[in-house]
């Protein structure tokens, strides 16, 4: 039976989080990360389970290689003020030429992340209880995500393998079609009239298993088809309204197909979904917060989250500097404080209340994550 938005929300979920904020109010791991932060900002950061719903780390996908042991993952987390990230990678950046390439890269990526987490004494969070436990212990939390179902290669049983390895967020599509397509991509001409039969099968299996589906990169028709068949809430982790085009006309023209219309955003929200505000097309933290506000004005404060599509950390021996906007803690020029401190400061200046900030920063994501991963 199709669940309503109200059935996923709010009283039971909020009672789950009660006590977390009070216990972590002056959590030293987060609040002392930046010495010159406004005390009000530091207080909100410390009490908020803040989650970036779409974040990357450069993980080698070639067999036989592993992440460098010199990632300063904990230091980068501490500076950011974030409590958790959905750590994602994609296997289709380089052309998939042979059968098995996608799956092999997927497994190699997970193996690399296993090494990275072990080196930093971290584990993957499988559900909301794990997230809250990590928050109480002042430890960063990792939610395993992958961008695109390419690794399945038409084999639905691989979802169980992925689930057992800790996958809890599946981006249905990415930039390139999988060898067995799952649906139409929003930056390509439609070929499948929305969701494919295999795409529908994947969504239904994820619903049963407890994997949250991310509909970023899906065409409107694919999104609509997915929402009709899913029995669990879904998320679009990184986009913004197509009215928020920034100040770079050339970049706006390129990015517009990746943005969401007001009408489509309402469809997602009315189905219980949450939309992550993207950092693209923003030159300042206030620009980014305006993107958040624009989404809130359309879909309401209960249906917006954070989804930067940045990288929390990079191996220290990598001599290539982060491009401006790529590093989570250096998205905007002259940004001094870490990401979440900077965003909270701008949200307060824009008129958001503490309660609204806590919802957008993590509460809304936690609600859909809990509903999607909870066993019924």
């Amino acid at each position: 039976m199709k669940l309503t938005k109200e059935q996923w929300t709010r009283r039971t979920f909020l009672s789950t989080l009660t006590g977390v904020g009070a216990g972590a109010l002056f959590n030293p791991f987060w609040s002392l990360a930046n010495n010159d932060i406004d005390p009000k900002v530091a207080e909100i950061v410390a009490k908020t389970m803040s989650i970036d719903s779409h974040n990357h780390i450069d993980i080698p996908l070639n067999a036989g290689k592993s992440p460098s042991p010199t990632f300063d993952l904990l230091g980068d987390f501490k500076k950011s003020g974030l409590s958790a990230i959905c750590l994602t990678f994609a296997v289709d950046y380089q052309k998939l030429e042979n059968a098995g390439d996608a799956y092999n890269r997927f497994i190699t990526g997970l193996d690399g992340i296993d090494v990275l987490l072990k080196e930093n004494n971290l584990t993957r969070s499988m559900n909301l209880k794990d997230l809250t436990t990590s928050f109480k212990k002042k430890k960063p939390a990792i939610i395993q995500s992958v961008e695109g179902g390419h690794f399945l290669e038409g084999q639905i049983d691989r979802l169980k393998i992925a689930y057992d390895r800790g996958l809890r967020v599946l981006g249905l599509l990415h930039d390139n079609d999988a060898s067995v397509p799952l649906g139409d991509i929003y930056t390509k001409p439609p070929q499948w009239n929305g969701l494919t039969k295999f795409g529908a099968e994947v969504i239904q299996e994820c619903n049963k298993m407890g994997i949250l589906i991310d509909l970023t990169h899906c065409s409107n028709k694919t999104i609509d088809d997915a929402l009709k068949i899913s029995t669990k809430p879904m998320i679009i982790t990184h986009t913004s309204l197509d009215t928020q085009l920034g100040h770079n006309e050339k970049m706006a023209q390129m990015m517009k197909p990746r943005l969401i219309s007001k009408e489509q955003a309402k469809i997602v929200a009315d189905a219980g979904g949450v939309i992550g505000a993207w950092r693209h097309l923003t030159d300042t933290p206030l620009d980014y917060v305006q993107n958040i506000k624009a989404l809130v004005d359309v879909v309401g404060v209960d249906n917006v989250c954070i989804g930067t599509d940045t990288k929390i950390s990079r191996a220290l021996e990598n001599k290539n500097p982060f491009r401006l906007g790529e590093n989570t803690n250096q998205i905007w020029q002259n940004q001094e404080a870490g990401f979440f401190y900077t965003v909270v400061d701008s949200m307060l200046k824009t008129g958001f209340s503490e309660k609204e900030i806590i919802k957008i920063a993590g509460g809304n994501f936690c609600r859909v994550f809990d509903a999607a991963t909870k066993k019924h």
Side-chain angles (χ1 to χ4, degrees), residues 74-272:
L74 294 179
D76 292 327
F77 244 115
K78 182 177 180 180
K79 181 178 180 180
S80 75
L82 288 165
S83 307
I85 61 170
C86 292
L87 188 157
T88 193
F89 65 102
V91 303
D92 66 324
Y93 289 124
Q94 296 179 345
K95 187 175 180 180
L96 296 163
E97 296 180 336
N98 306 304
D101 281 353
Y103 183 67
N104 291 336
R105 291 180 194 176
F106 175 67
I107 294 300
T108 301
L110 290 179
D111 290 344
I113 294 170
D114 285 347
V115 174
L116 177 64
L117 297 183
K118 184 177 181 180
E119 289 169 349
N120 288 272
N121 191 28
L122 298 175
T123 58
R124 294 179 178 89
S125 293
M126 307 300 181
N127 48 45
L128 180 61
K129 182 179 178 181
D130 288 348
L131 285 176
T132 56
T133 297
S134 290
F135 188 67
K136 289 176 181 179
K137 290 181 177 179
K138 309 169 188 177
K139 291 184 65 174
I142 298 294
I143 302 167
Q144 187 62 63
S145 172
V146 69
E147 199 166 16
H150 305 79
F151 72 95
L152 297 170
E153 296 178 318
Q155 300 185 44
I156 197 70
D157 58 305
R158 288 182 179 173
L159 272 179
K160 178 65 164 55
I161 296 172
Y163 182 87
D164 290 344
R165 291 292 302 269
L167 185 73
R168 290 299 181 273
V169 180
L170 171 64
L172 197 68
L173 307 180
H174 194 224
D175 290 328
N176 302 290
D177 290 314
S179 59
V180 178
L182 292 89
D184 284 319
I185 299 169
Y186 58 15
T187 50
K188 300 180 71 173
Q191 302 178 68
W192 324 109
N193 190 32
L195 193 67
T196 67
K197 182 179 179 181
F198 182 62
E201 185 180 356
V202 169
I203 290 174
Q204 290 166 338
E205 192 64 21
C206 285
N207 286 168
K208 294 175 186 175
M209 201 169 288
I211 297 174
L212 175 61
I213 292 286
D214 176 9
L215 296 175
T216 309
H217 293 274
C218 293
S219 70
N220 286 350
K221 180 62 165 58
T222 304
I223 291 172
D224 292 344
D225 291 347
L227 293 173
K228 288 175 183 175
I229 69 167
S230 180
T231 60
K232 300 286 186 68
M234 308 175 94
I235 189 169
I236 295 178
T237 58
H238 52 295
T239 189
S240 294
L241 289 179
D242 62 9
T243 56
Q244 304 299 114
L245 297 176
H247 310 292
N248 186 325
E249 186 175 343
K250 183 176 180 180
M251 182 65 71
Q253 184 177 6
M254 182 181 74
M255 295 301 299
K256 192 167 183 179
R258 299 170 180 266
L259 306 180
I260 194 168
S261 69
K262 292 180 179 179
E263 294 75 18
Q264 192 67 28
K266 289 176 182 177
I267 290 171
V268 173
D270 288 345

Side-chain angles (χ1 to χ4, degrees), residues 278-305:
W278 213 359
R279 51 87 190 190
H280 281 290
L281 300 176
T282 64
D283 295 328
T284 69
L286 285 172
D287 287 343
Y288 179 66
V289 171
Q290 286 299 326
N291 280 3
I292 294 174
K293 186 177 185 300
L295 277 170
V296 168
D297 288 345
V298 170
V299 301
V301 73
D302 293 314
N303 299 95
V304 179
C305 68

Side-chain angles (χ1 to χ4, degrees), residues 56-68:
H56 291 266
I57 289 182
D58 291 326
I59 298 295
L61 300 179
N62 296 319
K65 295 185 179 181
S66 64
S68 165

